[in-house]
Amino acid sequence: MSATILVVEDERKIARLLQIELESEGYQVQVAFDGLTGWNSYREQVVDLILLDVMMPVMSGIELLRRIRSEDEQTPVILLTAKGAVEDKVSGLDLGATDYVTKPFEIEELLARVRAALRNSRKATVQASPGEWLTIADLRLNPATREVYRDERGIQLTQREFDLLAYLMRNQRLVLHREQLLTEVWGFDYAGDTNVVDVYIRYVRKKVDEGFGQELIHTVRGIGYVLRESV
């Protein structure tokens, strides 16, 4: 069954272009021209991915993202942001956006990011035994229930942060190159640069390392990262 994508974009020409290109790739596409209509469309149907413009009338994309993430941490959301809108990008990532594309964008890049987001979302929903826990020191992660605990304290992660930490934990004590993390967590056809890995490592570190007795995520200068207990 083809994936259903919700496009929330107030510029009708862009929305129509996205609809045509996505449908030509075999996706089912729903379109909303403002944030409130987008929210209602999201509540009325099951969607597999959302393309969300940030600057919109009635309800901004950031507010819509906030509402979605208040009840749904899984559905991939790719933000469409204005060039140079760093604050919007940071706010979106902090609220749990999966990715972002800067306008004007190349349609091939956007389609690649859509494929990567859908693929990683499907990986995350593959059934695993609820009893399976990945552990290192006092950090525990359950791939099935998507629970994370450090020193028995619950930790809330976005979908991308969870996927990154899960990959690190499955490969603990192995030095992982940035390119390897990008391929395995973001997808082989991800069109961004490797700096996004550093950004998300920083996010995960802040949640799982800061304030605890020992650091578990270590930088290997010039190569990448490794998850291991301090020696």
Side-chain angles (χ1 to χ4, degrees):
M1 183 180 295
S2 62
T4 298
I5 297 176
L6 174 61
V7 176
V8 189
E9 167 63 69
D10 67 316
E11 295 186 49
R12 291 176 180 262
K13 288 184 178 179
I14 295 178
R16 180 57 179 159
L17 171 65
L18 290 172
Q19 182 177 16
I20 292 171
E21 294 289 347
L22 290 166
E23 287 179 344
S24 73
E25 294 291 314
Y27 300 114
Q28 301 292 318
V29 182
Q30 300 294 324
V31 178
F33 298 114
D34 64 71
L36 183 57
T37 304
W39 171 243
N40 291 332
S41 296
Y42 164 77
R43 297 296 300 275
E44 291 169 0
Q45 62 187 315
V46 176
V47 298
D48 299 292
L49 182 141
I50 302 169
L51 288 176
L52 178 58
D53 185 29
V54 171
M55 299 297 294
M56 287 187 299
V58 185
M59 181 191 298
S60 73
I62 295 298
E63 176 57 30
L64 176 52
L65 175 62
R66 181 180 290 108
R67 291 193 182 193
I68 291 170
R69 285 295 181 248
S70 69
E71 58 183 59
D72 173 5
E73 296 183 358
Q74 307 304 320
T75 302
V77 178
I78 299 177
L79 295 180
L80 306 178
T81 68
K83 184 177 182 180
V86 176
E87 184 176 345
D88 288 336
K89 296 171 186 176
V90 172
S91 297
L93 291 173
D94 283 346
L95 286 171
T98 308
D99 200 355
Y100 66 83
V101 177
T102 301
K103 295 180 181 179
F105 51 80
E106 296 291 336
I107 193 65
E108 291 81 7
E109 176 187 357
L110 184 138
L111 291 174
R113 296 192 184 215
V114 166
R115 289 193 295 270
L118 287 171
R119 183 169 54 254
N120 286 324
S121 178
R122 287 166 184 149
K123 282 183 185 177
T125 56
V126 172
Q127 286 192 347
S129 169
E132 177 192 0
W133 286 87
L134 303 176
T135 63
I136 181 170
D138 56 355
L139 176 64
R140 299 189 296 129
L141 178 148
N142 189 310
T145 64
R146 300 183 76 81
E147 295 174 277
V148 179
Y149 293 92
R150 180 85 196 261
D151 193 25
E152 299 306 320
R153 186 189 310 172
I155 296 173
Q156 298 299 314
L157 299 176
T158 67
Q159 178 179 324
R160 185 73 76 195
E161 291 167 353
F162 182 93
D163 292 342
L164 177 58
L165 180 60
Y167 188 76
L168 289 169
M169 294 191 71
R170 290 189 187 280
N171 296 276
Q172 55 188 268
R173 292 183 289 278
L174 298 178
V175 177
L176 303 172
H177 292 252
R178 288 176 175 82
E179 292 78 8
Q180 181 180 355
L181 291 168
L182 198 65
T183 298
E184 296 298 331
V185 179
W186 278 260
F188 74 94
D189 54 3
Y190 178 77
D193 60 50
T194 58
N195 287 339
V196 71
V197 174
D198 301 319
V199 171
Y200 273 87
I201 285 287
R202 186 166 67 248
Y203 289 160
V204 175
R205 266 182 172 153
K206 186 173 183 179
K207 294 182 178 181
V208 305
D209 270 351
E210 287 188 10
F212 294 96
Q214 66 171 319
E215 292 184 357
L216 297 176
I217 301 174
H218 304 271
T219 301
V220 181
R221 190 174 299 277
I223 301 177
Y225 300 96
V226 59
L227 183 77
R228 59 171 171 76
E229 296 186 57
S230 300
V231 295

